[in-house]
Amino acid sequence: MRFYIVLELVCLAALTAKADKDLRQVFKDWKVQFNKNYGGGLRNELARFRQFKKSAQTIEYINSIQSDWVAGFTLFADMTDEEKAAFTGLKLNDTALESNLEIDPSPLDPTDPEKQYWDMGPVKNQWSCGSCWAFAAVGAMEGRHLKEHGEFRDFSEQTLLDCTFEGRRDGCTGGWSELAINWAGTDSKISHSKLYGYLPIRKDNKYRWSDGECTDLKKPYNNALRRAKPLAYLASYRSRNDAGLQHALATEGPVEVDIYSSWALPFYTTGTYRGDGCGTNPTPNHAVVVAGYEKDYWYVKNSWGSWGYSGYAYFSRGWENLCSISARRKTIEWWPSSEWKICTDTHPSERTPCDSSANLNQEVCQARGCCYDSNYAGTAAQCFIKGKVTIYDDEGKRRVLYASAEEFSQFEFSYYGKAAQVEIGSWKLFVEDDYYGDYKIIKPEDGKVTFDFQSVQILNN
């Protein structure tokens, strides 16, 4: 009898050793994928691997109890619970929370479309600074600016991080998205104009994942919010349910919401997240943007880099107020300026320089504030500003990227999805896909595209 027990223990040890060896290879490949380079020598490496093993057990458990979504080795796989918590950062005033967050479902508005998606700016990463509130504020304002004005503005999260709570608190320890939006729209000294708010674009004040001095007040950057003044506030009690969130998405644009990020959410990769670990009406700890919806899910933009569907997640609508997603949505009022001038108020980075070697006149504006050669026969047609890429992944789900033609010239379409549609000015490129057979295929062998920058026309639409 003792012989068989010893044999079982030996076999178990052998299986454990093999599993550890296999997991070490997974860990090695994962470090390359996420560019993980640990300091502190072998001891730190072993500590991270032990945490990776814990994550492997959590991932296996999640995938064993449900099949709606897939948990995997994400950016967070080697992090402790405290380190993962640093990627959230929403602060709530407990006295401002209603004692009863039970919000009764109500009928959907029959005038709402069956589905709605809003074009959004690029997904970004807040890293280990609790600045989700600033990223959600920027994401909502970028999406709203696109909706209202048809132009993408890459706003600066760093400005909101530096300035919203200047002299009062460290923004990396958390904050409130509505205060950030209101600082940009009405509360800062720079945005006191009756005509427009203040928020520079990102390249003027790049993200440094730490709260610094609000230098904007001393020497303002180029103002990218001259088109409007935003104002944000908590939605009314009656609309704080899934029906209210859908109607806001259908009529207002992308919506900033506060959610509860549970122990399971950091491991989300694909599928429709069903709120594992959220419980019933938990207190929110994270700010995100809902960028669209369909009958069965919300389309959620996060601030954790390439996590999930290239930065997005699909939250199930099978449960009312899943992870508190509709209980604390923010309403953004967008007050357009009637005196915005495209020639003088367009940011310099969005004006295409003309060919100076031709020694011809250079002028700014016409269609959308880009620079053109006034002596050229095409006049205002020889320039470009921003373009967009629509990507469809293996499941036919969609996301949109906005950037300049230069940034898209070496874009790896094949890496991001099965299908891609590029629109820059009047030029359109359709990459081969399995979902939309009518696409015209203009695809180089390596999946990259080179644009002739000075021949892309801006359409006035």
Side-chain angles (χ1 to χ4, degrees):
M1 181 68 177
R2 181 178 297 177
F3 169 77
Y4 289 111
I5 293 174
V6 171
L7 182 60
E8 287 178 0
L9 291 175
V10 169
C11 291
L12 180 61
L15 289 173
T16 302
K18 183 180 185 303
D20 260 15
K21 183 178 180 181
D22 292 343
L23 189 60
R24 285 186 184 278
Q25 184 60 50
V26 174
F27 182 56
K28 181 179 179 181
D29 295 341
W30 174 86
K31 286 194 302 178
V32 173
Q33 179 185 355
F34 289 96
N35 194 28
K36 295 276 187 170
N37 296 301
Y38 304 123
L42 181 60
R43 178 175 296 183
N44 191 31
E45 180 90 7
L46 291 174
R48 290 296 173 182
F49 179 67
R50 284 194 293 271
Q51 188 61 49
F52 193 81
K53 287 179 66 175
K54 292 181 181 179
S55 295
Q57 295 171 352
T58 301
I59 291 167
E60 183 178 6
Y61 171 71
I62 293 172
N63 291 332
S64 71
I65 63 172
Q66 55 80 43
S67 58
D68 294 311
W69 64 282
V70 178
F73 294 103
T74 64
L75 173 69
F76 301 98
D78 67 340
M79 297 186 191
T80 65
D81 291 342
E82 292 76 15
E83 289 171 328
K84 289 194 285 261
F87 280 72
T88 56
L90 177 70
K91 292 292 183 182
L92 291 178
N93 183 348
D94 291 338
T95 61
L97 288 173
E98 284 78 0
S99 59
N100 182 10
L101 279 181
E102 293 288 346
I103 300 170
D104 294 331
S106 60
L108 297 173
D109 191 316
T111 64
D112 294 344
E114 291 184 358
K115 62 181 180 179
Q116 179 70 270
Y117 290 95
W118 296 108
D119 289 350
M120 301 293 290
V123 172
K124 303 165 187 176
N125 199 330
Q126 70 182 78
W127 299 107
S128 56
C129 165
S131 54
C132 64
W133 55 273
F135 279 77
V138 161
M141 285 190 283
E142 286 176 349
R144 191 63 181 270
H145 199 284
L146 263 169
K147 172 184 178 286
E148 301 293 341
H149 311 299
E151 293 178 303
F152 170 60
R153 292 287 188 274
D154 192 3
F155 295 136
S156 170
E157 300 86 2
Q158 189 64 45
T159 290
L160 296 180
L161 181 59
D162 290 344
C163 300
T164 304
F165 305 110
E166 177 76 346
R168 292 183 286 162
R169 60 179 291 115
D170 183 342
C172 281
T173 63
W176 302 264
S177 296
E178 62 268 34
L179 294 186
I181 294 171
N182 292 342
W183 185 91
T186 58
D187 292 344
S188 74
K189 295 178 181 178
I190 312 173
S191 61
H192 280 172
S193 165
K194 294 181 179 180
L195 299 175
Y196 54 80
Y198 172 80
L199 188 56
I201 67 171
R202 198 174 218 240
K203 65 176 57 180
D204 285 336
N205 196 11
K206 295 181 179 179
Y207 184 61
R208 301 182 297 277
W209 56 89
S210 64
D211 188 345
E213 180 186 1
C214 183
T215 55
D216 297 53
L217 297 177
K218 296 180 179 179
K219 186 178 180 180
Y221 296 97
N222 286 291
N223 185 353
L225 253 184
R226 290 184 178 274
R227 278 209 164 195
K229 288 174 68 72
L231 175 67
Y233 52 88
L234 189 67
S236 66
Y237 183 83
R238 290 188 303 277
S239 64
R240 289 174 55 193
N241 51 31
D242 286 7
L245 177 56
Q246 174 177 303
H247 189 60
L249 286 163
T251 58
E252 298 171 12
V255 178
E256 190 276 322
V257 300
D258 301 339
I259 66 168
Y260 177 68
S261 174
S262 75
W263 54 269
L265 186 61
F267 299 109
Y268 172 87
T269 59
T270 60
T272 303
Y273 182 64
R274 64 175 203 172
D276 295 88
C278 281
T280 304
N281 294 329
T283 301
N285 60 1
H286 190 44
V288 294
V289 181
V290 183
Y293 68 86
E294 289 199 25
K295 178 183 177 182
D296 296 326
Y297 55 75
W298 307 111
Y299 186 49
V300 178
K301 180 184 180 183
N302 206 344
S303 52
W304 293 346
S306 60
W307 166 92
Y309 284 97
S310 301
Y312 286 82
Y314 294 86
F315 273 50
S316 174
R317 297 184 64 177
W319 294 267
E320 177 75 18
N321 191 32
L322 182 73
C323 300
S324 298
I325 193 168
S326 59
R328 291 186 60 85
R329 72 170 180 85
K330 305 302 189 305
T331 292
I332 301 178
E333 292 185 359
W334 196 261
W335 303 333
S337 169
S338 59
E339 297 189 17
W340 188 82
K341 299 179 177 61
I342 195 164
C343 298
T344 57
D345 292 340
T346 297
H347 191 276
S349 69
E350 295 172 335
R351 305 168 188 164
T352 305
C354 302
D355 184 2
S356 58
S357 63
N359 197 28
L360 300 174
N361 296 331
Q362 296 188 33
E363 297 184 21
V364 174
C365 79
Q366 190 60 25
R368 287 196 175 174
C370 45
C371 182
Y372 65 92
D373 188 337
S374 60
N375 285 354
Y376 189 77
T379 313
Q382 302 306 308
C383 59
F384 78 90
I385 184 167
K386 295 285 184 181
K388 77 175 182 178
V389 172
T390 305
I391 300 293
Y392 298 90
D393 66 16
D394 288 347
E395 298 180 10
K397 293 180 178 176
R398 162 191 181 275
R399 72 187 183 99
V400 177
L401 304 171
Y402 278 80
S404 68
E406 289 179 343
E407 293 168 301
F408 282 148
S409 64
Q410 295 296 306
F411 191 82
E412 295 277 4
F413 297 105
S414 57
Y415 176 78
Y416 288 93
K418 298 278 270 187
Q421 173 184 343
V422 184
E423 297 181 17
I424 296 185
S426 61
W427 281 47
K428 295 185 179 181
L429 165 78
F430 300 97
V431 178
E432 184 177 11
D433 70 279
D434 297 332
Y435 302 102
Y436 303 92
D438 57 346
Y439 275 9
K440 182 179 180 182
I441 301 171
I442 314 175
K443 181 179 179 181
E445 291 301 319
D446 60 358
K448 298 179 181 180
V449 177
T450 301
F451 294 98
D452 179 357
F453 299 153
Q454 290 300 318
S455 67
V456 181
Q457 181 180 6
I458 290 298
L459 298 182
N460 199 7
N461 58 15

